[in-house]
Amino acid sequence: MIRSLGSSKIEEELREMERQASDFIARYGGQGVLDFERAARVSPQEEADMLFNRIVDVRHDAPRLILGRIYDCVGFGALGDEALRSLAIARVCEPKSKVATVEYLKRCFREDYRLHQIYRYMDTLYNTRREQIQQISVKHTRRLLGGRIGIVFYDVTTLYFETAREDALRSPGFSKDGKTAESQIVLGLLVSRDGYPLSYNIFNGGQYEGRTMIPIIDDFVQRFSLTDFIVVADAGLLSRKNIALLKQAGYRFILGGRIKKESKSVQDWVLSLGKDPHKLNETVINGDERIIVSYSDQRAAKDRHNRDKGIQRLRKAYSSGKISKRNVNQRGYNKFLVIENDVMVSIDEDKIIADARWDGLKSYVTNTDLPANEVIDQYHGLWVVERAFRITKGSLEARPIFHFTERRIEAHICICFVAYKLYKELERLLRLLGITLSVDKVLDIAKTISTVSIRLEDGTVHTRTLLNTAEERMLAPLLPG
């Protein structure tokens, strides 16, 4: 039995079935009969109707096809974890709550997950996949960089919750998002050149960021047998203790300097240098460290502008000559205030003049033997971590976090890490292919591409992704062949 058209006792239905049977026989195994007479009888409208009636599904899953291909090329496909694949791709395409993600997967990708399934999966994800995920990411990054990591950039950010509830992981702290009432966690991220993610860890929201760097680097070096590399970190992580620990472990480093926190002898040396934007000055401190000082007219203008703006706010806030405890505790340019008799305040003009002497000056501390200009160039590479945080917080909407258990919080960060890796790899491929569009623009275009499935007369289903516009055809190299 190849095909049955049914049975009936009604004459008209029997004739229609006979006609359909004759038509099927004539075309079985390919077109066997050229029925010019019937072809002449079928109108264009009927022909179109016949085609449309065979459509069994239309979906807009080109983003899944593009990112799924990248997911496999990076190496995540080897995990055999379809839930991770779906959640990471959805985080890049449509970063929403888990409730909205379930709906998106069903509507656009025809993937039928239940919310309770997602939550149960997240309860086990962090402990079962985190190590493998980072191993795959590092292996892929090494391949891109010719087998050698070389430079690692480290920085931290904060991710807040829409609640003030505290526990072992969530607590108030200094928020980089300006959230003072909400609890938060601290996220430390290690990336390579060009911003490819290597490793991450999360800390209690009240943790001082300077104490997060050494544990992550030590863990990373131990797990991946890293030897020849340089750690680059911001001035916020510069402390004598961190430097001592870096030296003790034998790490080479480039750190942003806190030029006004150096010893008086170093400060006097810096202020004696003059301000030449074309000259780099350096000296040895603490035996085996170098401090390098540069000057920039642009940085000086920015320092001056920020100070003037802060002082104007001070003059306005304290025009009455009185101050409250709340005002004293505000951050900003209160260092220029003089408080007398606990209530009367004035602005110290001498402090403003003294502060202006530092305008445009920037210092860097290193124990490498790299030339001064290369030290500064490497330090400026820190923007890749800052951009990673902007993408993670912005395009991937990693915060606010709506989960409340430690396991699900950790799983959420793990999914965001995979999503950021996919985002960066798509960005790299766009450059490689000469497609001058942003990742977000490419995904917006991909969401308009239709994948159509048609059931043929022999019962088989044929699926094709349709590229109808010039923009859509531009994405053809990203789609599976």
Side-chain angles (χ1 to χ4, degrees), residues 34 214 307 342:
L34 297 176
I214 302 300
R307 183 177 54 255
D342 293 331

Side-chain angles (χ1 to χ4, degrees), residues 206-267:
Q207 177 72 283
Y208 166 56
E209 64 181 49
R211 295 175 184 162
T212 66
M213 178 173 67
I214 302 300
I216 285 188
I217 295 174
D218 283 344
D219 176 65
F220 183 72
V221 168
Q222 184 177 3
R223 285 190 293 127
F224 299 102
S225 302
L226 204 61
T227 53
D228 185 18
F229 68 97
I230 299 172
V231 179
V232 183
D234 196 4
L237 300 167
L238 177 68
S239 70
R240 292 317 312 172
K241 183 175 182 180
N242 272 346
I243 289 178
L245 290 172
L246 287 168
K247 288 181 178 180
Q248 184 179 341
Y251 300 150
R252 295 190 298 161
F253 57 83
I254 297 172
L255 303 175
R258 290 180 169 178
I259 197 168
K260 299 177 189 177
K261 299 291 185 181
E262 294 291 345
S263 66
K264 187 177 184 308
S265 60
V266 172
Q267 290 186 40

Side-chain angles (χ1 to χ4, degrees), residues 441-456:
K441 180 62 176 177
V442 165
L443 293 175
D444 284 342
I445 295 170
K447 289 174 183 177
T448 68
I449 297 174
S450 299
T451 299
V452 181
S453 297
I454 297 177
R455 190 180 302 280
L456 304 181

Side-chain angles (χ1 to χ4, degrees), residues 59-60 86-87 90 93-119:
R59 56 187 179 275
H60 296 90
S86 297
L87 291 173
C93 300
E94 197 80 10
K96 300 292 182 184
S97 69
K98 298 303 181 291
V99 175
T101 297
V102 167
E103 173 59 28
Y104 176 74
L105 290 172
K106 185 174 183 179
R107 183 180 71 252
C108 296
F109 299 168
R110 303 296 187 265
E111 296 180 4
D112 194 10
Y113 286 96
R114 299 288 188 271
L115 185 60
H116 69 272
Q117 292 176 310
I118 299 296
Y119 285 149

Side-chain angles (χ1 to χ4, degrees), residues 153-197:
F153 300 94
Y154 179 75
D155 206 349
V156 300
T157 192
T158 56
L159 302 175
Y160 66 90
F161 299 78
E162 291 289 6
T163 179
R165 184 186 302 177
E166 298 181 41
D167 53 34
L169 185 59
R170 298 177 296 164
S171 69
F174 173 68
S175 171
K176 293 179 182 283
D177 296 307
K179 298 290 183 176
T180 57
E182 295 83 354
S183 60
Q184 64 179 23
I185 59 173
V186 173
L187 171 66
L189 181 65
L190 206 61
V191 305
S192 70
R193 292 196 312 272
D194 298 326
Y196 302 122

